[in-house]
């Protein structure tokens, strides 16, 4: 399959879906939903230049290390092992979880009901809802130390999830903005179909094709855990590594329930492929 990718006999999208399937990720399980990378870093330009390397996200680094300052803070966290952490790691939140998936796709059923169920029966505070591609990128790549989320496959083929066609009352933000359709980058001209078209072009671009293997190493490969993960600033709470925990040997039902609840709420590392 990798040779097919190198020869351009398979698209980057199809290859990523193949890897997700091998790693046990499935559309049928929100806790292990297919994970896709942020590929762009430009959500402010009027036109998208796919020949400029600065247009793209650094695929060799996890979301927690996209800026020098952010990387420094997560390394400091790893070295200090803060009192509220139960284990040494860079990240206590995950890049893919049921709530992340449902929040991205909240404008479509059945994800609307799933999101509300996970939130205790209602939508979240409007300012925390997914409402802007640009602000979500800034949160996950720079601003929010508890946000390292990646994307879902829908960002590359499904314009419908970006519109509030069902007219759900998603609330009003503190600045007075009423939530409706997702705010798109200027280069999309307010058109969800154009956003998906250009975003998919970015995924299949020469730059991403040349660097995608570095992201795959982080998510599915040898930089997923161990010393390589530490060096890559890519370690997560031990509970996220579901296949490394033998629940059958944990006799205390309270501890076992805590671990299962943690995985259910916060996500799980894909199986290494």
């Amino acid at each position: 399959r990798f040779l097919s990718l190198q020869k351009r006999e398979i698209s980057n999208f199809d290859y990523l879906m193949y890897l997700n399937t091998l790693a046990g990720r499935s559309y049928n399980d929100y806790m292990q939903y297919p994970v896709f990378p942020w590929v762009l870093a430009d959500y402010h330009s009027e036109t998208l230049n796919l020949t400029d390397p600065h247009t793209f996200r650094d695929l060799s680094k996890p979301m927690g290390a996209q800026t020098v300052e952010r990387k420094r803070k997560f390394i400091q966290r790893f070295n200090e092992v803060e009192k509220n952490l139960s284990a040494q790691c860079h990240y206590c939140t995950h890049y893919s979880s049921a709530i992340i998936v449902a929040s991205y796709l909240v404008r479509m059923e059945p994800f609307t009901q799933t999101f509300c169920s996970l939130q205790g029966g209602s939508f979240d505070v409007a300012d925390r809802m997914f409402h802007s591609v640009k602000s979500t990128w800034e949160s996950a790549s720079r601003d929010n130390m508890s946000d390292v989320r990646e994307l879902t496959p829908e960002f590359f083929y499904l314009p419908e999830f970006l519109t509030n066609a069902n007219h759900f009352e998603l609330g009003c933000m503190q600045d007075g903005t009423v939530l409706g359709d997702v705010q798109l980058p200027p280069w999309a001209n307010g058109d969800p179909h154009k956003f998906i078209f250009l975003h998919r072009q970015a995924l299949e671009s020469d730059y991403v094709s040349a660097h995608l293997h570095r992201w795959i190493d982080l998510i599915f490969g040898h930089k997923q855990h161990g010393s390589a993960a530490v060096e890559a600033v890519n370690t997560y709470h031990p509970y996220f590594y579901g296949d490394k925990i033998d629940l059958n040997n944990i006799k205390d039902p309270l501890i076992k329930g805590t671990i299962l609840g943690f995985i259910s709420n916060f996500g799980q590392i894909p199986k290494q492929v």
Side-chain angles (χ1 to χ4, degrees):
R1 290 275 183 161
F2 183 65
L3 288 175
S4 296
L5 183 67
Q6 286 184 318
K7 295 177 181 178
R8 299 296 179 94
E9 294 173 355
I10 183 174
S11 69
N12 291 337
F13 182 91
D14 288 340
Y15 187 66
L16 287 172
M17 284 303 301
Y18 176 71
L19 285 177
N20 271 285
T21 301
L22 281 182
R25 315 293 285 192
S26 167
Y27 283 119
N28 298 320
D29 186 349
Y30 294 172
M31 290 182 290
Q32 297 190 79
Y33 206 77
V35 56
F36 270 59
W38 289 94
V39 294
L40 293 173
D42 182 356
Y43 299 97
H44 56 270
S45 297
E46 293 294 330
T47 57
L48 193 62
N49 184 0
L50 296 181
T51 63
D52 182 357
H54 294 99
T55 296
F56 298 91
R57 166 255 183 103
D58 187 341
L59 288 160
S60 70
K61 296 181 175 66
M63 291 302 292
Q66 289 297 307
T67 69
V68 173
E69 177 62 15
R70 186 169 161 91
K71 179 180 179 180
R72 183 192 66 77
K73 288 180 180 178
F74 279 119
I75 292 175
Q76 182 180 4
R77 170 189 284 180
F78 181 89
N79 291 332
E80 290 180 353
V81 190
E82 297 173 357
K83 293 180 180 179
N84 64 327
L85 304 183
S86 58
Q88 190 176 40
C89 61
H90 294 108
Y91 314 116
C92 300
T93 53
H94 200 251
Y95 49 76
S96 178
S97 66
I99 192 64
I100 289 173
V101 171
S103 68
Y104 278 145
L105 306 176
V106 69
R107 290 164 178 80
M108 299 189 311
E109 292 288 14
F111 301 98
T112 311
Q113 292 304 314
T114 299
F115 181 84
C116 290
S117 177
L118 291 170
Q119 285 293 129
S122 62
F123 292 117
D124 198 0
V125 175
D127 286 82
R128 292 200 297 258
M129 295 280 287
F130 172 52
H131 67 277
S132 162
V133 177
K134 178 177 181 286
S135 65
T136 302
W137 159 254
E138 291 172 348
S139 172
S141 67
R142 188 188 70 198
D143 296 339
N144 189 343
M145 290 290 285
S146 63
D147 183 3
V148 292
R149 77 188 107 167
E150 294 279 7
L151 301 181
T152 64
E154 287 81 1
F155 277 81
F156 301 94
Y157 70 84
L158 190 69
E160 286 77 11
F161 88 94
L162 297 166
T163 63
N164 187 22
N166 292 313
H167 304 291
F168 294 119
E169 294 184 5
L170 303 174
C172 183
M173 298 174 64
Q174 288 185 347
D175 65 3
T177 302
V178 177
L179 263 60
D181 297 345
V182 175
Q183 295 174 11
L184 302 176
W187 45 259
N189 300 123
D191 183 349
H193 290 83
K194 185 173 183 179
F195 172 84
I196 295 295
F197 175 76
L198 292 174
H199 205 215
R200 183 63 174 266
Q201 276 197 326
L203 178 64
E204 305 298 342
S205 67
D206 289 340
Y207 179 90
V208 172
S209 296
H211 296 85
L212 186 57
H213 66 283
R214 298 180 181 276
W215 182 83
I216 290 171
D217 286 343
L218 294 168
I219 306 300
F220 301 105
H222 75 285
K223 293 184 180 180
Q224 191 188 77
H225 57 79
S227 59
V230 175
E231 186 177 346
V233 194
N234 192 45
T235 66
Y236 297 80
H237 192 285
Y239 288 172
F240 292 144
Y241 299 85
D243 59 341
K244 301 292 187 293
I245 300 173
D246 188 355
L247 292 173
N248 293 324
N249 288 332
I250 300 176
K251 304 304 179 183
D252 189 324
L254 183 60
I255 295 176
K256 182 181 288 189
T258 299
I259 293 174
L260 287 172
F262 196 96
I263 294 171
S264 174
N265 288 319
F266 297 108
Q268 191 170 352
I269 300 290
K271 294 177 183 177
Q272 192 173 22
V273 297

